[in-house]
């Protein structure tokens, strides 16, 4: 099944549905997941330096290239700059390592993973700790990091560059000095955190939204799960619409975001669920049903990354 694409502000096309790979760190599980996604028709894989699975993804891509099942230009690969590489001259070091692991000459999208910078201390992975066992905060100007990202784009290591977990003020700061405007901002976005204010702000600047945890991250780690937090997949309105359209609740939730004009990167290791998640292009939600889903917004953020709360660039204090 072919997935539809969205044209970015630099003319490149980005598939609207991709496979998220966070938490898929066991070699065999990761490789089986990537194979299942490619076989299901996915042509967009999202990873990151910090996920520690780039090498496994690279192995599968090479396997498919060599078998003639896939050409490099057919697959859109996103990876991300980690927080310990924010200095302008360290940005290239991080992408070189990612490219080596992915066994690629370039990635299609390279993102600043978080606006918060940390210094490498040799203690604590992936979040370095200082001598007091607290995050080793480092203040690097985001505008300097962005200049490093632009260099990566200019030398062809990334076709497109963007950001992740940035708020409006941080995006505004980058756009003021940017020679290359960010192509996307990857943020948590789902039925209970619809990000309409941020979405409209980015739309005016020609920047797309890539929604991570578009199903509300039902398998997020225990330390992130808050007791009593509502489960997006149990939403009564989404459940009613799933019955009406003869679809799964997950497909309704993904279709809602895609129909709003967002890119989605659901994560699953289950082959049947992987296939289901990409089948969102053969039906359309009515305007009335889109409004019903819009009314379900709770402005509820699951990923607050409170360890970074004291950092000058902590992004999540901005009103939603």
């Amino acid at each position: 099944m072919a997935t539809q694409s969205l044209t970015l502000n630099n003319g490149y096309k980005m598939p609207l549905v991709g496979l998220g790979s966070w938490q898929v760190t066991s070699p065999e599980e990761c490789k089986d997941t990537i194979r299942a996604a490619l076989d299901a028709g996915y042509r967009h894989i999202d990873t990151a330096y910090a996920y520690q699975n780039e090498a496994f993804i690279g192995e599968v891509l090479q396997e498919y290239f060599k078998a003639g099942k896939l050409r490099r230009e057919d697959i859109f690969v996103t990876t991300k700059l980690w927080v310990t590489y924010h200095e302008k001259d360290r940005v290239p070091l991080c992408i070189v390592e990612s490219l080596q692991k992915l066994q690629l000459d370039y990635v299609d999208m390279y993102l600043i993973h978080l606006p918060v910078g940390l210094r490498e201390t040799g203690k604590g992975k992936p979040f370095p700790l200082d001598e007091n066992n607290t995050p080793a905060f480092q203040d690097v100007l985001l505008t300097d990091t962005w200049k490093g990202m632009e260099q990566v784009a200019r030398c062809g290591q990334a076709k497109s560059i963007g950001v992740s977990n940035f708020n409006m003020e941080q995006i505004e700061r980058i756009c003021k000095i940017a020679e290359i405007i960010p192509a996307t901002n990857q943020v948590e976005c789902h039925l209970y955190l619809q990000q309409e204010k941020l979405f409209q702000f980015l739309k005016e600047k020609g920047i797309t939204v890539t929604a991570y945890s578009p199903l509300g991250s039902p398998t997020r780690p225990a330390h992130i799960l808050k007791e009593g937090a509502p489960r997006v997949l149990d939403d009564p309105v989404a459940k009613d619409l799933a019955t009406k359209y003869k679809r799964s609740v997950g497909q309704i939730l993904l279709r809602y975001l895609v129909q709003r004009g967002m890119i989605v990167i659901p994560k699953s290791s289950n082959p049947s669920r992987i296939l289901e998640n990409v089948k969102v292009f053969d039906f359309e939600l009515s305007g009335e049903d889109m409004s019903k889903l819009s009314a379900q917004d709770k402005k509820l953020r699951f990923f607050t990354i409170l360890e970074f709360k004291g950092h000058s660039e902590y992004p999540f204090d901005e009103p939603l």
Side-chain angles (χ1 to χ4, degrees):
M1 167 177 285
T3 65
Q4 292 178 14
S5 295
L6 189 148
T7 303
L8 301 171
N9 57 19
N10 56 10
Y12 287 111
K13 291 187 182 300
M14 184 171 182
L16 278 161
V17 177
L19 180 80
S21 67
W22 179 55
Q23 289 184 284
V24 189
T25 50
S26 114
E28 288 317 309
E29 183 197 9
C30 181
K31 288 190 265 190
D32 287 345
T33 298
I34 301 301
R35 288 186 192 106
L38 293 174
D39 292 347
Y42 283 72
R43 292 298 177 261
H44 172 184
I45 307 290
D46 181 275
T47 183
Y49 178 90
Y51 298 170
Q52 300 178 345
N53 59 17
E54 291 169 313
F56 314 136
I57 292 169
E59 279 182 49
V60 176
L61 291 178
Q62 285 302 316
E63 180 188 311
Y64 275 60
F65 294 156
K66 286 170 184 167
K69 293 182 183 178
L70 196 67
R71 296 172 306 169
R72 174 63 188 94
E73 58 267 31
D74 296 332
I75 184 83
F76 192 103
V77 179
T78 296
T79 194
K80 307 178 191 81
L81 177 83
W82 189 229
V83 295
T84 51
Y85 290 88
H86 275 206
E87 299 98 321
K88 182 181 169 183
D89 59 351
R90 277 175 61 77
V91 173
L93 304 180
C94 192
I95 194 168
V96 162
E97 205 172 317
S98 289
L99 290 173
Q100 284 171 347
K101 288 176 183 168
L102 289 163
Q103 299 183 55
L104 298 174
D105 296 327
Y106 67 90
V107 288
D108 299 273
M109 180 71 75
Y110 197 48
L111 306 177
I112 303 176
H113 203 147
L114 286 153
V116 172
L118 274 74
R119 60 187 165 83
E120 193 55 79
T121 62
K123 181 183 178 187
K125 288 279 184 184
F127 301 108
L129 301 171
D130 61 19
E131 57 280 0
N132 302 314
N133 280 337
T134 58
F137 290 166
Q138 182 178 39
D139 285 319
V140 178
L141 291 173
L142 289 179
T143 47
D144 284 352
T145 308
W146 189 252
K147 288 298 175 191
M149 295 289 284
E150 289 181 330
Q151 190 52 40
V152 156
R154 281 195 203 95
C155 69
Q157 291 168 310
K159 299 267 188 194
S160 302
I161 51 175
V163 296
S164 180
N165 295 300
F166 275 48
N167 64 30
M168 290 183 283
E169 187 276 328
Q170 290 165 334
I171 297 262
E172 191 72 72
R173 235 186 302 154
I174 282 187
C175 286
K176 276 181 181 161
I177 60 92
E179 291 173 43
I180 303 172
I181 297 293
T184 199
N185 185 15
Q186 185 181 123
V187 293
E188 178 186 350
C189 186
H190 45 72
L191 190 65
Y192 290 167
L193 180 65
Q194 297 195 19
Q195 300 274 25
E196 183 61 21
K197 191 173 171 186
L198 178 65
F199 179 55
Q200 292 304 332
F201 168 83
L202 293 169
K203 199 173 180 180
E204 284 171 24
K205 295 191 174 300
I207 302 169
T208 60
V209 166
T210 301
Y212 72 73
S213 304
L215 303 175
S217 195
T219 60
R220 62 193 184 276
H223 72 278
I224 296 173
L225 271 170
K226 290 190 183 76
E227 201 173 327
R231 200 167 171 269
V232 179
L233 285 163
D234 291 336
D235 182 78
V237 172
K239 279 181 157 180
D240 286 349
L241 293 179
T243 304
K244 174 181 173 178
Y245 287 89
K246 297 183 173 58
R247 299 284 167 162
S248 71
V249 176
Q251 286 172 319
I252 296 295
L253 296 173
L254 294 173
R255 178 67 209 181
Y256 174 61
L257 296 178
V258 164
Q259 204 165 312
R260 283 174 69 199
M262 294 182 178
I263 298 144
V264 294
I265 48 167
K267 176 253 166 185
S268 178
S269 300
N270 179 314
S272 61
R273 191 83 68 231
I274 285 169
L275 180 60
E276 182 183 278
N277 287 345
V278 83
K279 290 184 172 178
V280 294
F281 298 108
D282 56 350
F283 74 104
E284 195 169 320
L285 298 167
S286 71
E288 184 187 353
D289 291 335
M290 288 289 285
S291 296
K292 283 181 186 172
L293 290 167
S294 174
Q296 294 306 98
D297 192 7
K298 300 181 190 300
K299 296 184 167 49
L300 178 62
R301 191 188 298 281
F302 295 130
F303 293 90
T304 51
I305 322 179
L306 291 175
E307 306 93 302
F308 291 171
K309 183 81 169 138
H311 196 284
S312 60
E313 292 290 2
Y314 180 74
F316 301 138
D317 288 332
E318 193 172 78
L320 289 162

